[in-house]
Amino acid sequence: MKSFPLCKEDYTQVKQMLSMRQVAGFYGFKEDRQHLCTCPFHKDKHPSMRIYPDNKGFYCFACQKGGDIVTFVAALYNTDNEHACRKLIEDFSLPITTEPTTYRERREWEKRRSRQKKISQFQRDSMKILRKYWILLCEATRDTQDMHFVEAMQNLSIVEYRIECLIECPEEYYEDRKAVKKIGEIGRRIAGWHDPDCTGSAVSG
């Protein structure tokens, strides 16, 4: 296995190039007409693992194990997701470069890794801020006399939506300068939460 860490784009490419049906079949698990096959993760006497169409992954109705092609191979060979993804690349001879061989490729690889680290750090820091604000808003909705009650009612659903976006689309969120600016405003709002002069809905929208 190559030593360079895989990027998120590598996983995405592998999942786009291979279907769950291809992967299961390659490793010896053929589905029947109901798209079921024997599950390799428990002693399965009757086919109980479903292979979903349109590359939606797998799920075993007996042992409740499920996932995508990467998690399937990881569980099958008792390894982590990165080694499983590399195995798929090698076993299927996918045209994905996982090791930079030229100066330009190395530079591009380093840029991608640096960007991914920044996005991951941004996601972690932003989640801490949004969750803390969400907790404060939830507490404020319990008392109509709370000085933050109106703000909480106006912003609670918005914050929940921001958290959802941050979980599902961290890269897109990171690229949205207006959304990133809002995170900073919310952070400052939390810092002044107990200041009577800072009440209001300054972070709405």
Side-chain angles (χ1 to χ4, degrees):
M1 295 293 182
K2 296 172 176 130
S3 59
F4 287 85
L6 297 180
C7 293
K8 181 179 180 180
E9 291 85 351
D10 297 321
Y11 289 92
T12 300
Q13 280 186 282
V14 170
K15 293 175 185 180
Q16 288 175 343
M17 291 179 177
L18 299 173
S19 69
M20 189 65 231
R21 178 177 297 176
Q22 282 178 288
V23 173
F26 182 87
Y27 294 112
F29 301 93
K30 302 292 184 181
E31 59 182 305
D32 59 21
R33 292 181 180 180
Q34 285 73 46
H35 305 294
L36 294 170
C37 65
T38 55
C39 177
F41 307 119
H42 73 284
K43 293 182 179 180
D44 195 9
K45 296 182 179 179
H46 302 286
S48 60
M49 187 174 78
R50 181 172 175 78
I51 304 298
Y52 289 95
D54 303 320
N55 207 21
K56 296 297 183 180
F58 72 97
Y59 181 77
C60 177
F61 294 97
C63 69
Q64 287 83 53
K65 195 170 188 66
D68 56 29
I69 59 173
V70 175
T71 54
F72 176 80
V73 174
L76 189 62
Y77 288 93
N78 192 30
T79 187
D80 57 35
N81 286 347
E82 177 154 342
H83 283 87
C85 191
R86 290 180 183 279
K87 182 171 179 58
L88 286 166
I89 292 172
E90 294 185 4
D91 286 352
F92 284 88
S93 300
L94 300 181
I96 297 175
T97 301
T98 58
E99 181 177 4
T101 55
T102 66
Y103 174 76
R104 183 176 180 179
E105 288 177 347
R106 182 178 292 275
R107 286 288 300 238
E108 288 299 316
W109 178 85
E110 289 174 348
K111 285 171 60 177
R112 285 195 301 166
R113 291 294 297 175
S114 176
R115 172 181 165 78
Q116 197 60 50
K117 286 182 180 180
K118 289 179 181 179
I119 293 174
S120 296
Q121 186 63 53
F122 165 75
Q123 184 183 36
R124 288 193 296 271
D125 294 344
S126 298
M127 285 298 292
K128 288 180 182 178
I129 292 173
L130 290 177
R131 282 174 173 159
K132 186 172 183 179
Y133 189 47
W134 180 82
I135 291 172
L136 292 173
L137 294 178
C138 286
E139 292 174 347
T141 61
R142 298 169 185 166
D143 182 5
T144 57
Q145 301 304 311
D146 192 297
M147 65 178 180
H148 302 297
F149 178 78
V150 174
E151 176 182 352
M153 296 302 294
Q154 291 176 336
N155 289 286
L156 189 58
S157 61
I158 297 175
V159 172
E160 290 173 347
Y161 173 72
R162 291 185 182 280
I163 290 174
E164 183 180 336
C165 291
L166 194 59
I167 292 173
E168 296 182 355
C169 312
E171 292 187 21
E172 288 82 351
Y173 205 111
Y174 181 76
E175 289 295 333
D176 188 336
R177 294 295 91 189
K178 184 177 180 181
V180 173
K181 183 179 179 182
K182 283 293 181 183
I183 295 294
E185 292 176 1
I186 292 173
R188 291 189 291 273
R189 180 72 191 95
I190 292 172
W193 187 253
H194 298 292
D195 185 346
D197 296 327
C198 293
T199 57
S201 53
V203 297
S204 63

